[in-house]
Amino acid sequence: MRISARADYAVRAVLELAVRQGGEPVKAEAIAATQDIPHKFLEGILGDLRRAGLVDSRRGGNGGYMLARDASEITVADVIRGVDGPIVSVRGVRPTGLTYAGSAEPLLPLWIALRANVRRILEGVTIADIATGKLPEPVQELAAEPAAWENP
């Protein structure tokens, strides 16, 4: 599985809004500068996040972006889906839309299991979890495994 630059930037932008939640709307330029995200690219991402119902925007001199709901109600999966669509696909197709024949038949349950595990992690971590630095215990345990940090 690959996390696109678009998804990485989206999560970082939403996280930046979360840590500033409760104040004035945040300008895209401020998010871009703080998170080192290309401004034009970020504008498109913020538009996608707005259409996905994750952020709101306000125009004008005091305008900018803010979360559409509390950070504890937005998962990392929500953000990734908002900018990239389905979290796991094979050749651009959701695993449930695939069929295999013969010796390749066991691939389908493998892809389904992979999707289930990825979803379990990404749907189990909220933006508030990241903003507070308190990742759920199962995520901390996985990240604590030495093999998780190795590149085979």
Side-chain angles (χ1 to χ4, degrees):
M1 179 184 166
R2 291 190 175 139
I3 303 296
S4 69
R6 188 171 189 76
D8 177 58
Y9 290 163
V11 171
R12 289 165 47 198
V14 170
L15 181 59
E16 190 64 29
L17 293 174
V19 299
R20 297 176 184 221
Q21 196 169 12
E24 291 294 315
V26 182
K27 298 204 178 299
E29 295 86 359
I31 298 168
T34 302
Q35 290 297 323
D36 195 27
I37 300 171
H39 179 256
K40 284 290 191 189
F41 197 30
L42 178 61
E43 286 286 355
I45 290 167
L46 289 167
D48 287 345
L49 293 171
R50 188 179 47 75
R51 284 185 287 283
L54 300 174
V55 302
D56 285 330
S57 62
R58 186 182 306 160
R59 293 180 185 240
N62 292 328
Y65 294 89
M66 65 217 95
L67 294 181
R69 54 187 194 257
D70 193 78
S72 65
E73 299 173 7
I74 301 172
T75 68
V76 175
D78 294 332
V79 177
I80 293 172
R81 286 184 186 115
V83 296
D84 276 352
I87 292 175
V88 174
S89 64
V90 179
R91 302 181 328 264
V93 177
R94 292 176 186 212
T96 53
L98 298 170
T99 56
Y100 292 104
S103 62
E105 277 187 64
L107 277 177
L108 185 56
L110 174 66
W111 299 149
I112 297 292
L114 173 68
R115 180 176 74 163
N117 270 329
V118 170
R119 285 170 62 176
R120 183 176 298 138
I121 296 293
L122 297 178
E123 291 174 352
V125 178
T126 68
I127 297 302
D129 293 332
I130 301 168
T132 61
K134 297 178 182 173
L135 294 175
E137 190 64 34
V139 175
Q140 290 182 41
E141 289 173 5
L142 284 171
E145 293 178 14
W149 295 87
E150 294 175 9
N151 294 322

